[in-house]
Every structure is written in C-alpha cells, then in structure tokens.
Amino acid sequence: MNINNGYFSNQEIPEEDRRNYAFQAVNAVRESLTLAKNSTTAVTYEFAFSIIHDLDPDLYESIITLLVSKNENEIVKYYKEMAEAESTEEDKVEPVTLIQKELDSLEKILLRKTENNTFLKKRKFGLVAAKEYFTPRNQSEHKSLNHDFYLRTRDDYFGKPLYENDHYKDYKITNDKVLRIRLLHPDNDETILGVDMIYEHFSMENEKVRFAHMQYKSWDNNVLYESSSSNMRAQLLKMKNHLCDSDFCKGPDSKNRNDYRFPYCAAFLRPTAKLQHNDSRLITTGFHVPLCQTLTLLDAEGKLTKKTIRDKSIKGNIFEELFINNIAGSRWITIDELESFYEEKGINSNLNTIRIHAQEVDTFGEYDKVKKTGR
C-alpha cells in the first residue's frame, strides 16, 4: 500500500485504487481502536473517522471525500458562496460560522413562536444538515478517548523513539491503559516489513511486549488473485522473512507449556472488499488469515477465496477476543528484544508506506507517576 500524504487526492492515480487503499487504512485504524478498547464488538467507522481527523485533518479530508458521499444542497452551496464572498486574505470566513449565526437567531425565534412554525423548523433542519456537511464526521464520539496528558517516550515505555516526525497522539483508555497511535507517511518506494498495521501490546509490569502485524489487500467478489497485485508476493515474503523466520511465532516447548492458546502466529493477511463508489456501504469480511496459510494457498492455487480460507483463518470479532485475552498473536518478548529487532531490520528508519502503528501500554499505575513527575 504505497501511499504518501497526497496519495488520496492525487488525480493521476485511478480513483478506484485510492478509494480501496483509503478503505484499508480506515479498517486498520478501526481494528487498532477495537483492540485497544478491549472490545469484542468493532468500533464504528464514524469512530475511526474521528480519530483519523484527530491525527491528521488533511488526511481525513482526502479519505472522507473518497469514502463518503456528501450531497451539496442549496443551503450548502449558498453558504459556500457567502463565506467566500465575505472572506479576505487576512480573515477567512468559514461556512459553519455563518450557518451557526443563523441557527442561533432561528433558535431564539422558535422559543417565542411555538405554533405555526413549520417552515421555520424546516429551515432549522436544513441548517443543521448543512452544518453537518462542513463538520468532520461525528467528532464527539472520540471523547471517550482522552489525550490531554503527557506520556513519556523514552525507553521506559517504547524503547528508542520511532517516527518522531509523523502524526501520532497518546490516548488514555483507562487509568492503567494508554494507546499511542501513529499514521506514518514515509517517502521511499519500498517497504521494510510489507505490513499496513502493527499492533503492539506492552506490559510495563513485566517489561514485555507482544504484537500482531497485518497486511490489508482488496479482493473482488470474495476472490484475491496473486496476479492482480504486482507486489503482494514480495510484501508477504518480507513479512515471512522478518517475522516468521525470526521465530516470533515459536512458542515454549510443548512439554513445559501450561497455558492453552492458539499458535503464536504474528503475521496475518486481512482481505477487504473493494468499494466501487463513494456511497458504497462500508463493510469488511473480517478474516485474519495466518501468513503461513496464505502462502500455502497461493502456492497451490494462485488465489485466495472466501471458501478456501474459511477453515484456515480467524473471523475478525473472534480474533480480537483471542488477542485481547492473549490466546492469539505473538509470544511475549522483552522490550529490549523488540528494540533489537527494530534496529536489526532497520524499522527505526523511515518505512515506505502509509501505515498504522498502534502501541497499547498497560501502565499499572505508572501513568499517575508520570503525570506527577512530568517525566
């Protein structure tokens, strides 16, 4: 998914490609938030949109244009022209400001005129709808995540700081849990890991971390042909070389193993549906196909289908519950091991695709200490 900050608005790239990559990015953010909230029910697309806007308003505008149809009615067109007419080089007037001014005036009138006000109410509803047109989608929902605090970025939590120049924010999920989420916009042409989303779960009590890496690909009518994506095989092999061949999926000796869990697979393919239009329904099939199974199917058939992956994959809501409960995903490793892995693979240098990197941290009261000391 080779995307930079201007990819989604680049008219030289086919709109269908931009739309499908935008949908994959939104799904990756959505999955990160679902895992962080320890929810077996996926958060809404509106919630994911609101977080993208929080992280990068310009990127949000590009994505929302591709994914969500917003019809310009007469009121919208009127206030667009009015705002443009009243704006100067020194003072830009926003349509929402003008709409709100009329709404405030109309509200006062409706308090006095409580009968025979059908057309006044109709005007109010039209103004509210027009205001929504210019307002980022459902921004109020993400207030359940609070990022008004300082989270130290030294090796106390995350090892050496990564991606310092990218868009990221820290959110307080609970008193003992925080989430750092980044949208990455590197400039090079090739990826290092070949993944679109990394989710890391840190336990500061044990000073360990576990993770899952996802590669999102669009399929058409529940079929994903290897030949339809020129870089899919290369991306999947990079995941294998860096993750599987590094023994991150290798668990403890079965003779000494006390806890029941799934294999320690850390790399997954995430098929998503193609969107034909910007008013298409946003829905994803939610399969998590382990990388080893993905490569086996591609070697045998050159494609994946919903039928062939059904008994070789984990459905989305089930995967999230398994990962939250440490029954799926990689084994626990020390934070030092993760840092060494990043240094060895060059992951602490710029990556080459827009990607979501989410880091969930169980602080076990460390947050209060950080807040008091300012460290």
Side-chain angles (χ1 to χ4, degrees), residues 241-262:
N241 293 337
H242 290 306
L243 295 172
C244 308
D245 294 348
S246 295
D247 289 334
F248 285 124
C249 58
K250 183 178 180 181
D253 190 306
S254 58
K255 295 180 181 179
N256 300 320
R257 186 171 141 194
N258 297 318
D259 298 328
Y260 171 79
R261 61 157 292 148
F262 277 43

PDB file of all heavy atoms in Angstrom, residues 241-262:
ATOM      1  N   ASN A 241      10.032 -13.283   6.053  1.00  0.00           N
ATOM      2  CA  ASN A 241      11.463 -13.209   6.341  1.00  0.00           C
ATOM      3  C   ASN A 241      11.743 -12.505   7.665  1.00  0.00           C
ATOM      4  O   ASN A 241      12.624 -12.908   8.424  1.00  0.00           O
ATOM      5  CB  ASN A 241      12.192 -12.492   5.202  1.00  0.00           C
ATOM      6  CG  ASN A 241      12.175 -13.290   3.913  1.00  0.00           C
ATOM      7  OD1 ASN A 241      12.004 -14.516   3.936  1.00  0.00           O
ATOM      8  ND2 ASN A 241      12.328 -12.617   2.784  1.00  0.00           N
ATOM      9  N   HIS A 242      10.994 -11.447   7.934  1.00  0.00           N
ATOM     10  CA  HIS A 242      11.282 -10.652   9.123  1.00  0.00           C
ATOM     11  C   HIS A 242      10.582 -11.158  10.372  1.00  0.00           C
ATOM     12  O   HIS A 242      11.118 -11.008  11.475  1.00  0.00           O
ATOM     13  CB  HIS A 242      10.896  -9.190   8.879  1.00  0.00           C
ATOM     14  CG  HIS A 242      11.789  -8.502   7.891  1.00  0.00           C
ATOM     15  ND1 HIS A 242      13.158  -8.466   8.029  1.00  0.00           N
ATOM     16  CD2 HIS A 242      11.502  -7.826   6.750  1.00  0.00           C
ATOM     17  CE1 HIS A 242      13.678  -7.799   7.015  1.00  0.00           C
ATOM     18  NE2 HIS A 242      12.698  -7.409   6.229  1.00  0.00           N
ATOM     19  N   LEU A 243       9.417 -11.768  10.226  1.00  0.00           N
ATOM     20  CA  LEU A 243       8.659 -12.184  11.405  1.00  0.00           C
ATOM     21  C   LEU A 243       8.732 -13.699  11.626  1.00  0.00           C
ATOM     22  O   LEU A 243       9.249 -14.153  12.645  1.00  0.00           O
ATOM     23  CB  LEU A 243       7.202 -11.747  11.261  1.00  0.00           C
ATOM     24  CG  LEU A 243       6.976 -10.231  11.246  1.00  0.00           C
ATOM     25  CD1 LEU A 243       5.529  -9.912  10.898  1.00  0.00           C
ATOM     26  CD2 LEU A 243       7.330  -9.628  12.593  1.00  0.00           C
ATOM     27  N   CYS A 244       8.222 -14.461  10.658  1.00  0.00           N
ATOM     28  CA  CYS A 244       8.183 -15.920  10.827  1.00  0.00           C
ATOM     29  C   CYS A 244       9.594 -16.494  10.962  1.00  0.00           C
ATOM     30  O   CYS A 244       9.855 -17.324  11.845  1.00  0.00           O
ATOM     31  CB  CYS A 244       7.451 -16.572   9.666  1.00  0.00           C
ATOM     32  SG  CYS A 244       5.832 -15.864   9.325  1.00  0.00           S
ATOM     33  N   ASP A 245      10.503 -16.060  10.088  1.00  0.00           N
ATOM     34  CA  ASP A 245      11.859 -16.607  10.110  1.00  0.00           C
ATOM     35  C   ASP A 245      12.675 -16.102  11.289  1.00  0.00           C
ATOM     36  O   ASP A 245      13.797 -16.569  11.517  1.00  0.00           O
ATOM     37  CB  ASP A 245      12.580 -16.273   8.801  1.00  0.00           C
ATOM     38  CG  ASP A 245      11.946 -16.982   7.611  1.00  0.00           C
ATOM     39  OD1 ASP A 245      11.116 -17.879   7.840  1.00  0.00           O
ATOM     40  OD2 ASP A 245      12.256 -16.621   6.457  1.00  0.00           O
ATOM     41  N   SER A 246      12.134 -15.122  12.030  1.00  0.00           N
ATOM     42  CA  SER A 246      12.794 -14.656  13.255  1.00  0.00           C
ATOM     43  C   SER A 246      12.287 -15.397  14.482  1.00  0.00           C
ATOM     44  O   SER A 246      12.615 -15.049  15.615  1.00  0.00           O
ATOM     45  CB  SER A 246      12.563 -13.151  13.444  1.00  0.00           C
ATOM     46  OG  SER A 246      13.172 -12.410  12.411  1.00  0.00           O
ATOM     47  N   ASP A 247      11.442 -16.423  14.247  1.00  0.00           N
ATOM     48  CA  ASP A 247      10.931 -17.306  15.305  1.00  0.00           C
ATOM     49  C   ASP A 247      10.002 -16.600  16.290  1.00  0.00           C
ATOM     50  O   ASP A 247       9.838 -17.062  17.425  1.00  0.00           O
ATOM     51  CB  ASP A 247      12.093 -17.964  16.075  1.00  0.00           C
ATOM     52  CG  ASP A 247      12.819 -18.999  15.231  1.00  0.00           C
ATOM     53  OD1 ASP A 247      12.188 -19.560  14.308  1.00  0.00           O
ATOM     54  OD2 ASP A 247      14.007 -19.248  15.485  1.00  0.00           O
ATOM     55  N   PHE A 248       9.374 -15.491  15.855  1.00  0.00           N
ATOM     56  CA  PHE A 248       8.423 -14.854  16.755  1.00  0.00           C
ATOM     57  C   PHE A 248       7.168 -15.706  16.946  1.00  0.00           C
ATOM     58  O   PHE A 248       6.437 -15.530  17.912  1.00  0.00           O
ATOM     59  CB  PHE A 248       8.031 -13.466  16.231  1.00  0.00           C
ATOM     60  CG  PHE A 248       9.098 -12.437  16.437  1.00  0.00           C
ATOM     61  CD1 PHE A 248       9.607 -11.720  15.370  1.00  0.00           C
ATOM     62  CD2 PHE A 248       9.596 -12.180  17.704  1.00  0.00           C
ATOM     63  CE1 PHE A 248      10.594 -10.769  15.563  1.00  0.00           C
ATOM     64  CE2 PHE A 248      10.583 -11.237  17.908  1.00  0.00           C
ATOM     65  CZ  PHE A 248      11.088 -10.532  16.835  1.00  0.00           C
ATOM     66  N   CYS A 249       6.908 -16.617  16.010  1.00  0.00           N
ATOM     67  CA  CYS A 249       5.737 -17.481  16.151  1.00  0.00           C
ATOM     68  C   CYS A 249       6.080 -18.774  16.895  1.00  0.00           C
ATOM     69  O   CYS A 249       5.218 -19.628  17.086  1.00  0.00           O
ATOM     70  CB  CYS A 249       5.157 -17.818  14.772  1.00  0.00           C
ATOM     71  SG  CYS A 249       6.321 -18.618  13.659  1.00  0.00           S
ATOM     72  N   LYS A 250       7.332 -18.899  17.316  1.00  0.00           N
ATOM     73  CA  LYS A 250       7.749 -20.095  18.038  1.00  0.00           C
ATOM     74  C   LYS A 250       7.439 -19.933  19.517  1.00  0.00           C
ATOM     75  O   LYS A 250       7.898 -18.990  20.163  1.00  0.00           O
ATOM     76  CB  LYS A 250       9.246 -20.336  17.846  1.00  0.00           C
ATOM     77  CG  LYS A 250       9.745 -21.612  18.505  1.00  0.00           C
ATOM     78  CD  LYS A 250      11.232 -21.815  18.241  1.00  0.00           C
ATOM     79  CE  LYS A 250      11.730 -23.101  18.897  1.00  0.00           C
ATOM     80  NZ  LYS A 250      13.187 -23.298  18.654  1.00  0.00           N
ATOM     81  N   GLY A 251       6.630 -20.860  20.064  1.00  0.00           N
ATOM     82  CA  GLY A 251       6.248 -20.784  21.463  1.00  0.00           C
ATOM     83  C   GLY A 251       7.125 -21.640  22.339  1.00  0.00           C
ATOM     84  O   GLY A 251       8.124 -22.226  21.881  1.00  0.00           O
ATOM     85  N   PRO A 252       6.796 -21.745  23.617  1.00  0.00           N
ATOM     86  CA  PRO A 252       7.575 -22.583  24.533  1.00  0.00           C
ATOM     87  C   PRO A 252       7.443 -24.058  24.186  1.00  0.00           C
ATOM     88  O   PRO A 252       6.519 -24.464  23.489  1.00  0.00           O
ATOM     89  CB  PRO A 252       6.954 -22.274  25.902  1.00  0.00           C
ATOM     90  CG  PRO A 252       5.563 -21.812  25.590  1.00  0.00           C
ATOM     91  CD  PRO A 252       5.664 -21.094  24.279  1.00  0.00           C
ATOM     92  N   ASP A 253       8.365 -24.845  24.677  1.00  0.00           N
ATOM     93  CA  ASP A 253       8.321 -26.291  24.471  1.00  0.00           C
ATOM     94  C   ASP A 253       6.991 -26.836  24.978  1.00  0.00           C
ATOM     95  O   ASP A 253       6.564 -26.545  26.096  1.00  0.00           O
ATOM     96  CB  ASP A 253       9.480 -26.951  25.232  1.00  0.00           C
ATOM     97  CG  ASP A 253       9.637 -28.418  24.853  1.00  0.00           C
ATOM     98  OD1 ASP A 253       8.633 -29.147  24.955  1.00  0.00           O
ATOM     99  OD2 ASP A 253      10.748 -28.818  24.471  1.00  0.00           O
ATOM    100  N   SER A 254       6.336 -27.658  24.136  1.00  0.00           N
ATOM    101  CA  SER A 254       5.001 -28.153  24.483  1.00  0.00           C
ATOM    102  C   SER A 254       5.010 -28.961  25.784  1.00  0.00           C
ATOM    103  O   SER A 254       4.011 -29.011  26.502  1.00  0.00           O
ATOM    104  CB  SER A 254       4.457 -29.022  23.342  1.00  0.00           C
ATOM    105  OG  SER A 254       5.328 -30.107  23.092  1.00  0.00           O
ATOM    106  N   LYS A 255       6.143 -29.579  26.126  1.00  0.00           N
ATOM    107  CA  LYS A 255       6.207 -30.383  27.347  1.00  0.00           C
ATOM    108  C   LYS A 255       6.122 -29.505  28.593  1.00  0.00           C
ATOM    109  O   LYS A 255       5.666 -29.943  29.645  1.00  0.00           O
ATOM    110  CB  LYS A 255       7.509 -31.196  27.366  1.00  0.00           C
ATOM    111  CG  LYS A 255       7.590 -32.240  26.269  1.00  0.00           C
ATOM    112  CD  LYS A 255       8.908 -33.002  26.345  1.00  0.00           C
ATOM    113  CE  LYS A 255       9.006 -34.035  25.235  1.00  0.00           C
ATOM    114  NZ  LYS A 255      10.302 -34.762  25.278  1.00  0.00           N
ATOM    115  N   ASN A 256       6.602 -28.273  28.454  1.00  0.00           N
ATOM    116  CA  ASN A 256       6.624 -27.377  29.609  1.00  0.00           C
ATOM    117  C   ASN A 256       5.541 -26.313  29.544  1.00  0.00           C
ATOM    118  O   ASN A 256       5.544 -25.369  30.334  1.00  0.00           O
ATOM    119  CB  ASN A 256       7.991 -26.677  29.692  1.00  0.00           C
ATOM    120  CG  ASN A 256       9.124 -27.684  29.837  1.00  0.00           C
ATOM    121  OD1 ASN A 256       8.988 -28.664  30.552  1.00  0.00           O
ATOM    122  ND2 ASN A 256      10.229 -27.435  29.142  1.00  0.00           N
ATOM    123  N   ARG A 257       4.648 -26.465  28.600  1.00  0.00           N
ATOM    124  CA  ARG A 257       3.633 -25.441  28.389  1.00  0.00           C
ATOM    125  C   ARG A 257       2.408 -25.709  29.255  1.00  0.00           C
ATOM    126  O   ARG A 257       1.814 -26.778  29.199  1.00  0.00           O
ATOM    127  CB  ARG A 257       3.252 -25.426  26.911  1.00  0.00           C
ATOM    128  CG  ARG A 257       2.294 -24.302  26.543  1.00  0.00           C
ATOM    129  CD  ARG A 257       2.175 -24.250  25.039  1.00  0.00           C
ATOM    130  NE  ARG A 257       0.801 -23.961  24.655  1.00  0.00           N
ATOM    131  CZ  ARG A 257       0.340 -24.116  23.430  1.00  0.00           C
ATOM    132  NH1 ARG A 257       1.131 -24.572  22.492  1.00  0.00           N
ATOM    133  NH2 ARG A 257      -0.909 -23.826  23.146  1.00  0.00           N
ATOM    134  N   ASN A 258       2.035 -24.717  30.054  1.00  0.00           N
ATOM    135  CA  ASN A 258       0.911 -24.877  30.969  1.00  0.00           C
ATOM    136  C   ASN A 258      -0.358 -24.208  30.462  1.00  0.00           C
ATOM    137  O   ASN A 258      -1.460 -24.634  30.781  1.00  0.00           O
ATOM    138  CB  ASN A 258       1.269 -24.301  32.349  1.00  0.00           C
ATOM    139  CG  ASN A 258       2.419 -25.040  32.986  1.00  0.00           C
ATOM    140  OD1 ASN A 258       2.477 -26.259  32.929  1.00  0.00           O
ATOM    141  ND2 ASN A 258       3.347 -24.296  33.591  1.00  0.00           N
ATOM    142  N   ASP A 259      -0.227 -23.123  29.691  1.00  0.00           N
ATOM    143  CA  ASP A 259      -1.383 -22.342  29.262  1.00  0.00           C
ATOM    144  C   ASP A 259      -1.854 -22.773  27.886  1.00  0.00           C
ATOM    145  O   ASP A 259      -1.050 -23.031  26.989  1.00  0.00           O
ATOM    146  CB  ASP A 259      -1.047 -20.850  29.230  1.00  0.00           C
ATOM    147  CG  ASP A 259      -0.678 -20.325  30.604  1.00  0.00           C
ATOM    148  OD1 ASP A 259      -1.241 -20.858  31.587  1.00  0.00           O
ATOM    149  OD2 ASP A 259       0.147 -19.403  30.683  1.00  0.00           O
ATOM    150  N   TYR A 260      -3.170 -22.846  27.735  1.00  0.00           N
ATOM    151  CA  TYR A 260      -3.742 -23.163  26.424  1.00  0.00           C
ATOM    152  C   TYR A 260      -3.810 -21.899  25.584  1.00  0.00           C
ATOM    153  O   TYR A 260      -4.181 -20.821  26.076  1.00  0.00           O
ATOM    154  CB  TYR A 260      -5.153 -23.726  26.565  1.00  0.00           C
ATOM    155  CG  TYR A 260      -5.844 -23.862  25.228  1.00  0.00           C
ATOM    156  CD1 TYR A 260      -5.565 -24.931  24.393  1.00  0.00           C
ATOM    157  CD2 TYR A 260      -6.726 -22.880  24.783  1.00  0.00           C
ATOM    158  CE1 TYR A 260      -6.167 -25.050  23.154  1.00  0.00           C
ATOM    159  CE2 TYR A 260      -7.333 -22.983  23.546  1.00  0.00           C
ATOM    160  CZ  TYR A 260      -7.049 -24.073  22.729  1.00  0.00           C
ATOM    161  OH  TYR A 260      -7.640 -24.171  21.494  1.00  0.00           O
ATOM    162  N   ARG A 261      -3.459 -21.994  24.308  1.00  0.00           N
ATOM    163  CA  ARG A 261      -3.609 -20.873  23.398  1.00  0.00           C
ATOM    164  C   ARG A 261      -3.408 -21.355  21.967  1.00  0.00           C
ATOM    165  O   ARG A 261      -2.974 -22.484  21.721  1.00  0.00           O
ATOM    166  CB  ARG A 261      -2.644 -19.737  23.721  1.00  0.00           C
ATOM    167  CG  ARG A 261      -1.167 -20.091  23.640  1.00  0.00           C
ATOM    168  CD  ARG A 261      -0.349 -18.820  23.420  1.00  0.00           C
ATOM    169  NE  ARG A 261      -0.607 -18.285  22.114  1.00  0.00           N
ATOM    170  CZ  ARG A 261      -0.585 -16.978  21.811  1.00  0.00           C
ATOM    171  NH1 ARG A 261      -0.345 -16.088  22.738  1.00  0.00           N
ATOM    172  NH2 ARG A 261      -0.811 -16.570  20.583  1.00  0.00           N
ATOM    173  N   PHE A 262      -3.731 -20.462  20.997  1.00  0.00           N
ATOM    174  CA  PHE A 262      -3.510 -20.741  19.584  1.00  0.00           C
ATOM    175  C   PHE A 262      -2.008 -20.689  19.288  1.00  0.00           C
ATOM    176  O   PHE A 262      -1.228 -20.213  20.102  1.00  0.00           O
ATOM    177  CB  PHE A 262      -4.224 -19.689  18.743  1.00  0.00           C
ATOM    178  CG  PHE A 262      -5.691 -19.975  18.521  1.00  0.00           C
ATOM    179  CD1 PHE A 262      -6.495 -20.429  19.547  1.00  0.00           C
ATOM    180  CD2 PHE A 262      -6.274 -19.779  17.282  1.00  0.00           C
ATOM    181  CE1 PHE A 262      -7.834 -20.684  19.354  1.00  0.00           C
ATOM    182  CE2 PHE A 262      -7.617 -20.030  17.067  1.00  0.00           C
ATOM    183  CZ  PHE A 262      -8.401 -20.489  18.114  1.00  0.00           C
TER     184      PHE A 262
END
